[in-house]
Amino acid sequence: MAAMSWHFSPETGSRFWLDRASSLGFDPLRDVRTHGDLARFPNLVNELRDAPIRDLVPRGYGDRPDVLGAFDSGGTTGAPKRVVLMQDWLERSLAWKSARMDDLGFPRDANWLTVAPSGPHIFGRLMAELPRMRGGVAFTVDLDPRWVRKCIAEGRGAEADRYAEHVVDQVESVLDGQEVGVLVVTPPLLERMSERGRLAKLINEKVHTIMWGGAHMDADTRYLMRQEVFPDVALRGQYGSTMILGGSMERVSSTDDRSCVFDSFSPYTTFAVVDPDTHEEVREGERGQVVMHHVSRSMLLPNNLERDVATRVAAPPGALGVSVADVAPVATFENTSVIEGVY
């Protein structure tokens, strides 16, 4: 497998993986030959909480690697985990995502309004690049989901509500005076927007496509948003994680169904769905906890158990792994209650 040769050869591998190779209990150069063999790796994602960021850059990129920055997870269940974003991966992943958007009918040459963190999450960086790629101008409303989660965890719900309303105020201000074709927002904030009659009217009149993500949206809410609240706007979902350096778009064929299916960017990012107790893969149609793998030139991060549950769905023909549907957060993860907040 070329990826194992790249990540575990002294000339090209990162210090992170070269230092851990001898403790894996198997030889990745010899024993990892198929996608299924990725399950042999231990889940080392928690080591990314304090691993030096330069240790994650493969040596094969040379003395001056084109590093765009360090980005981290939401810190929902402890200190954030950090990954490094390389220019070549950004270009490849965004090209794939933009092609999926074409399949889903996203407009080109349209302005975008993205409600998301500008940093340190990777999502804001990706959303800043996509409008430019697709011929539009990016408007942004910055979001601090960690502050909201902290308020909720400490019982300061009124403060969290006030902050969320402050964010929605900014969205209304942009839509009031600008032409916006794509609105990128989290489901909790979209629900708040739907409760403001004037703002909902602006969205129906101006916005072509709403792209939601960052928190789950159940089937009933999705149906209500599409059919009753925003009937004149296309509603499209995305699902991903900083730990796979990006995400996936909903399947085209799921846009008219109650169930929202997400296909991965195979073969670079792939999904599995496992029993949370045994970690054995569940059968198709059954629910379990999501496992994500990332295998590319820029990063190797296999067997990452995510804080989500989903239904296992067959992947598209020729794709590795499985697809996932009806994604929702687990109640607890690593002995910590999961709080979605607004992101």
Side-chain angles (χ1 to χ4, degrees):
M1 192 175 183
M4 294 301 108
S5 178
W6 172 266
H7 286 288
F8 289 97
S9 294
E11 299 78 18
T12 55
S14 67
R15 176 175 297 220
F16 179 86
W17 281 111
L18 294 174
D19 287 350
R20 286 155 182 79
S22 61
S23 63
L24 293 176
F26 62 93
D27 182 355
L29 293 172
R30 184 191 66 224
D31 300 328
V32 179
R33 316 304 299 175
T34 68
H35 178 263
D37 292 334
L38 293 175
R40 301 188 64 163
F41 281 94
N43 183 7
L44 299 182
V45 69
N46 283 334
E47 296 190 23
L48 299 181
R49 296 186 194 276
D50 52 17
I53 200 67
R54 291 187 180 273
D55 286 1
L56 303 181
V57 180
R59 293 174 178 174
Y61 279 94
D63 294 334
R64 298 188 66 82
D66 198 354
V67 178
L68 295 181
F71 295 90
D72 64 46
S73 64
T76 306
T77 55
K81 302 175 282 284
R82 293 181 176 86
V83 293
V84 64
L85 177 63
M86 310 297 294
Q87 177 67 33
D88 62 336
W89 172 253
L90 177 72
E91 292 174 357
R92 172 176 283 174
S93 61
L94 289 188
W96 175 84
K97 195 161 193 172
S98 183
R100 302 289 78 72
M101 290 176 174
D102 286 339
D103 295 340
L104 287 162
F106 276 66
R108 284 191 173 265
D109 302 318
N111 298 334
W112 289 40
L113 171 56
T114 297
V115 187
S118 57
H121 299 262
I122 198 171
F123 184 68
R125 178 59 186 266
L126 301 181
M127 292 304 104
E129 293 289 335
L130 272 168
R132 180 185 60 81
M133 284 178 58
R134 297 180 60 82
V137 175
F139 293 93
T140 59
V141 173
D142 202 11
L143 183 62
D144 187 351
R146 292 179 185 172
W147 178 250
V148 174
R149 282 196 293 266
K150 185 174 183 179
C151 289
I152 294 172
E154 295 176 356
R156 294 182 286 119
E159 191 170 343
D161 283 341
R162 187 181 178 199
Y163 178 79
E165 288 299 306
H166 167 65
V167 170
V168 174
D169 286 344
Q170 295 174 74
V171 171
E172 188 164 2
S173 175
V174 174
L175 286 174
D176 232 352
Q178 301 293 334
E179 294 302 317
V180 173
V182 178
L183 173 64
V184 183
V185 68
T186 67
L189 287 174
L190 184 61
E191 290 188 39
R192 285 181 180 269
M193 294 175 194
S194 73
E195 294 167 359
R196 294 192 184 186
R198 183 173 179 274
L199 179 52
K201 186 172 184 290
L202 278 172
I203 293 172
N204 272 307
E205 290 177 349
K206 289 191 170 187
V207 175
H208 179 280
T209 301
I210 295 171
M211 184 165 71
W212 60 270
H216 85 288
M217 181 184 292
D218 61 63
D220 289 340
T221 300
R222 182 169 172 261
Y223 181 83
L224 180 65
M225 289 290 177
R226 289 172 57 219
Q227 301 297 326
E228 302 292 338
V229 183
F230 300 114
D232 301 323
V233 185
L235 189 67
R236 307 289 188 242
Q238 64 171 354
Y239 171 59
S241 167
T242 298
M243 295 299 101
I244 57 169
L245 294 174
S248 60
M249 299 299 300
E250 77 173 72
R251 181 180 292 180
V252 173
S253 61
S254 73
T255 57
D256 295 323
D257 301 328
R258 296 292 292 271
S259 183
C260 192
V261 180
F262 297 102
D263 300 319
S264 71
F265 182 18
S266 172
Y268 307 105
T269 64
T270 53
F271 302 144
V273 182
V274 303
D275 182 293
D277 297 320
T278 67
H279 287 196
E280 294 292 324
E281 289 199 49
V282 302
R283 290 177 294 187
E284 193 172 306
E286 293 182 344
R287 289 185 70 74
Q289 198 159 347
V290 178
V291 173
M292 294 187 181
H293 306 288
H294 181 114
V295 184
S296 73
R297 187 172 184 267
S298 66
M299 188 176 78
L300 171 67
L301 193 61
N303 243 3
N304 173 30
L305 187 68
E306 281 286 343
R307 57 178 182 85
D308 300 310
V309 294
T311 301
R312 174 177 171 170
V313 177
L320 298 177
V322 305
S323 295
V324 296
D326 302 321
V327 179
V330 297
T332 59
F333 187 67
E334 296 175 346
N335 300 315
T336 302
S337 297
V338 173
I339 301 173
E340 279 196 302
V342 296
Y343 186 67

